[in-house]
């Protein structure tokens, strides 16, 4: 089983809490799943995602003109190829991070054609204060 974990933060070196929690979860899943489980963690520092321009090209032609300018084409490929997805976001102002929102906006077409239907997805919202439940609910609804 191939599990892709996307951590919607650009910080990697100073180990933000969202990355720490995701790394620990992946370690536990790999440990319990043995050789049958492969995990990969991607952050926005490796595959940044630009904001959606609202051009609706994804609906008309099935592709986004910005895919060649950022990491979204590679990220879409990884999401399609994985067997399960973990989406982890820090909570900013009681909501998903801007990187997460960019990803969701750029995946808007998938929500209409049910691209991820049947793909198991675990959402993580990480906060030291409030907004975690609301953020997790929003992310679950979108994915």
């Amino acid at each position: 089983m191939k599990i892709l974990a996307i951590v919607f933060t650009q910080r990697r070196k100073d180990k933000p809490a969202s990355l720490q929690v995701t790394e620990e979860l992946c370690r536990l899943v790999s440990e319990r799943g043995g050789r049958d489980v492969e995990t990969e963690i991607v952050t926005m520092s490796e595959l940044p995602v630009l904001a959606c321009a609202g051009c609706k090209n994804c609906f008309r032609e099935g592709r986004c003109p910005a895919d060649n300018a950022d990491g979204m084409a590679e990220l879409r490929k990884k999401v399609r190829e994985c067997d399960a997805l973990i989406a982890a976001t820090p909570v900013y102002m009681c909501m998903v991070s801007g990187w997460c929102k960019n990803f969701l906006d750029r995946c808007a077409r998938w929500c209409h054609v049910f691209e991820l239907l049947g793909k198991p997805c675990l959402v993580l919202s990480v906060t030291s204060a409030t907004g975690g439940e609301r953020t997790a609910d929003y992310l679950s609804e979108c994915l």
Side-chain angles (χ1 to χ4, degrees), residues 67-130:
D67 280 355
N68 295 329
D70 64 7
M72 191 62 184
E74 180 66 21
L75 202 50
R76 279 187 222 276
K77 182 177 185 260
K78 288 178 178 292
V79 170
R80 282 186 177 113
E81 291 174 354
C82 73
D83 298 307
L85 180 65
I86 297 170
T89 183
V91 176
Y92 293 158
M93 298 300 295
C94 297
M95 189 43 64
V96 297
S97 71
W99 293 107
C100 186
K101 183 67 168 113
N102 287 353
F103 174 80
L104 295 172
D105 288 348
R106 295 275 297 280
C107 290
R109 181 177 184 277
W110 283 2
C111 295
H112 293 275
V113 297
F114 306 108
E115 180 87 18
L116 302 179
L117 188 65
K119 187 173 299 262
C121 181
L122 173 69
V123 300
L124 301 172
S125 63
V126 181
T127 182
S128 62
T130 62

